[in-house]
Amino acid sequence: MDTAQFEACWHTHIRRIVAYAERHVGRDVACDIGSSTFLTAWRTWDVVPPEPLPWLISVARGHVRNHQRSLRRRGSLEQRLALLDESAFAGPDASVTATERAEALAVLAAMPEHDREALLLVAWDGLTTEQAAQVLGCRPGTLRMRLHRARARIESTSTGPALPIARSAQ
């Protein structure tokens, strides 16, 4: 690696890479995208072409896409969490703290939809596994497997005692 060539590339193109990123992700993240782009260039300097700008923009484009995907996933998770929080009813059990509730809702929101739906049909809607399987159009054995995965996920991510949703779904 020729450090002088890399530094010259950096000084020549960093403003254009950051400007490109800023058009797509805003000022707050653009410098991070620029840094990530040049980190990629540093790590793979032997494949950077003699005219690096198009290659650098292509790499920056990939980092922009990753950032946008991350934002979409986070937004989707926050939306699911908000929907779950709105639909969760307060239980008469005083042992369910706000922290446990928030933890349970976050775990539920992060679950694959078919596992979460199976758990909620049984735990919140009070259906039997056979009834829930009928609602979801699957076999009772399939539903039991989904419940098992959902409960295992809750138990593996729980930091405290068993979460209320796991207790009520058994």
Side-chain angles (χ1 to χ4, degrees):
M1 147 118 3
D2 185 354
T3 306
Q5 282 181 327
F6 178 80
E7 287 177 3
C9 179
W10 167 275
H11 291 293
T12 303
H13 299 296
I14 186 62
R15 286 188 186 100
R16 292 180 76 181
I17 298 304
V18 170
Y20 170 83
E22 190 173 337
R23 284 195 314 268
H24 295 280
V25 295
R27 182 168 287 161
D28 294 341
V29 182
C31 289
D32 291 339
I33 298 292
S35 295
S36 296
T37 299
F38 276 92
L39 178 60
T40 301
W42 174 261
R43 289 179 175 163
T44 60
W45 189 249
D46 56 323
V47 300
V48 176
E51 176 49 47
L53 185 60
W55 185 89
L56 291 168
I57 289 175
S58 178
V59 171
R61 184 172 183 245
H63 288 294
V64 164
R65 284 179 165 158
N66 287 341
H67 176 73
Q68 290 169 334
R69 235 184 339 269
S70 177
L71 288 177
R72 281 192 306 272
R73 282 192 304 263
R74 180 181 173 97
S76 177
L77 180 62
E78 288 173 352
Q79 182 182 23
R80 287 184 302 204
L81 186 58
L83 286 171
L84 287 169
D85 192 36
E86 288 173 18
S87 65
F89 54 88
D93 185 3
S95 68
V96 178
T97 65
T99 304
E100 286 176 319
R101 175 186 166 104
E103 183 181 344
L105 292 173
V107 171
L108 282 171
M111 269 183 205
E113 185 172 343
H114 59 273
D115 290 353
R116 179 178 58 245
E117 186 63 18
L119 187 63
L120 294 177
L121 284 171
V122 173
W124 286 3
D125 297 323
L127 298 181
T128 66
T129 54
E130 289 76 18
Q131 292 168 329
Q134 183 180 3
V135 169
L136 296 177
C138 64
R139 296 180 182 170
T142 301
L143 187 97
R144 282 191 286 278
M145 180 54 69
R146 290 178 183 175
L147 288 172
H148 173 75
R149 281 193 310 249
R151 289 176 183 143
R153 182 179 290 238
I154 287 172
E155 293 303 322
S156 71
T157 57
S158 174
T159 56
L163 294 173
I165 189 73
R167 286 193 301 258
S168 65
Q170 294 184 9

